[in-house]
Amino acid sequence: YFVHLRAMAGERAWNVFDPDGNMLREYNVKRYGADPSAGRELGSWGEIRAGLFRETGRLSIQVGDPAIPDQDFETGELFVQFFLDELDNVVFPHSGGTLRIRGVAGREAIGSDTDYQQYIIEGSRAYTIGRNTALLSGHFATTGGGNAPIQRMFRLGGFTRLSGLERDELYGQQAGLLSATFYRRLGEVLMQPFYAGASFEYGNVFEKRDDIVFDSGIASGSLFLGLDTIIGPLYVGYGWSEGGRGNYYLFLGQSFDHWRVGVGGR
């Protein structure tokens, strides 16, 4: 058994786009919170935990109409989660898999802006033959029992998450994403593994469950080079999405994210 206490504070930019991908405005997002939880470890392969997530924050316009007022937000959630992790490497896995099932209840009684419920299920599996690896992933997230406030909506967009779109460009009450990422180890650079790869992604966000239709997804993909350095993975790549959307990428950090909920990227 374990008890986990975490406090957090952050500040980031969040851009809002029109349907054609043009930026309408940019917000500065400040958030502060705590995330106490307790649970039980299941051997070396998983855990069950339950807890409370509480945060307060503010959205302030940075670029766009200065008449748009600042927006304060409050999040108060109870959650329970099962997490299985048998991947051999979190950066460029070659075997094993993950499964996360999470249930969330936002409640005004503990500080939430509104009452709502959310359910998230995501999983991945890695397969390797020689120098070649395939990482298959699926994510599904849904909101019920009311509408989640803007800071807790589900978001898509960015590298390997509809790669031709801007980061977190799409947001809604429901979301789904299927992806397949392939990479080949080419050798070593400065004694670190060096890879070339490609990803194929299909997904979208929706406001209502009745809106979820498989053929309304957005097809996307990417080509990339990756170096697993001692300070984190380095990526250079290009992403595309249907409709002629595209993005170039150069960044240092984790790429194959777990599902992110809310403006803060949690």
Side-chain angles (χ1 to χ4, degrees):
Y1 295 90
F2 63 86
V3 174
H4 181 216
L5 303 176
R6 182 176 68 160
M8 65 202 77
E11 183 174 355
R12 59 161 288 191
W14 175 51
N15 298 326
V16 177
F17 300 86
D18 66 17
D20 297 321
N22 302 308
M23 190 178 77
L24 297 176
R25 52 192 174 273
E26 177 186 310
Y27 286 102
N28 175 262
V29 185
K30 294 181 180 179
R31 60 194 292 263
Y32 314 89
D35 185 13
S37 61
R40 180 172 181 174
E41 293 183 349
L42 305 175
S44 61
W45 54 268
E47 66 170 38
I48 297 175
R49 74 168 62 202
L52 167 71
F53 177 66
R54 185 71 176 88
E55 73 169 355
T56 184
R58 169 168 287 195
L59 293 167
S60 304
I61 194 72
Q62 295 291 102
V63 177
D65 186 353
I68 297 176
D70 292 352
Q71 179 179 340
D72 294 327
F73 62 84
E74 301 286 340
T75 304
E77 296 177 345
L78 300 172
F79 69 87
V80 60
Q81 174 176 283
F82 167 77
F83 183 53
L84 178 153
D85 184 1
E86 293 188 312
L87 289 179
D88 65 331
N89 186 301
V90 69
V91 179
F92 289 100
H94 298 92
S95 64
T98 63
L99 175 65
R100 183 163 75 113
I101 302 172
R102 182 180 179 94
V104 173
R107 290 293 179 262
E108 293 182 3
I110 56 175
S112 174
D113 289 328
T114 61
D115 286 345
Y116 58 93
Q117 297 172 182
Q118 292 181 321
Y119 305 95
I120 302 166
I121 181 168
E122 62 177 351
S124 65
R125 185 73 184 179
Y127 303 90
T128 296
I129 300 177
R131 291 176 171 262
N132 304 300
T133 299
L135 178 65
L136 308 179
S137 302
H139 313 260
F140 179 73
T142 183
T143 303
N147 288 328
I150 188 171
Q151 76 273 11
R152 306 311 286 165
M153 291 184 184
F154 303 111
R155 304 183 183 277
L156 284 176
F159 187 49
T160 73
R161 302 178 59 81
L162 302 184
S163 296
L165 305 184
E166 300 294 335
R167 180 187 178 191
D168 296 344
E169 179 176 332
L170 305 180
Y171 57 97
Q173 301 290 339
Q174 330 291 329
L177 178 69
L178 297 173
S179 65
T181 304
F182 305 92
Y183 42 95
R184 176 179 174 84
R185 180 167 177 169
L186 301 180
E188 293 186 349
V189 174
L190 300 177
M191 296 187 295
Q192 301 299 320
F194 179 57
Y195 300 89
S199 69
F200 303 92
E201 310 125 33
Y202 189 76
N204 208 341
V205 300
F206 310 89
E207 283 305 302
K208 300 178 181 179
R209 292 179 184 173
D210 292 343
D211 297 334
I212 301 174
V213 179
F214 184 78
D215 60 9
S216 63
I218 299 172
S220 303
S222 70
L223 297 172
F224 62 88
L225 298 175
L227 181 64
D228 190 4
T229 77
I230 59 174
I231 59 174
L234 174 65
Y235 297 94
V236 178
Y238 176 78
W240 61 268
S241 290
E242 60 180 283
R245 299 289 304 280
N247 273 320
Y248 290 96
Y249 293 96
L250 172 60
F251 64 93
L252 179 67
Q254 181 65 24
S255 71
F256 307 123
D257 303 297
H258 290 302
W259 191 263
R260 293 181 297 174
V261 181
V263 171
R266 177 176 170 274

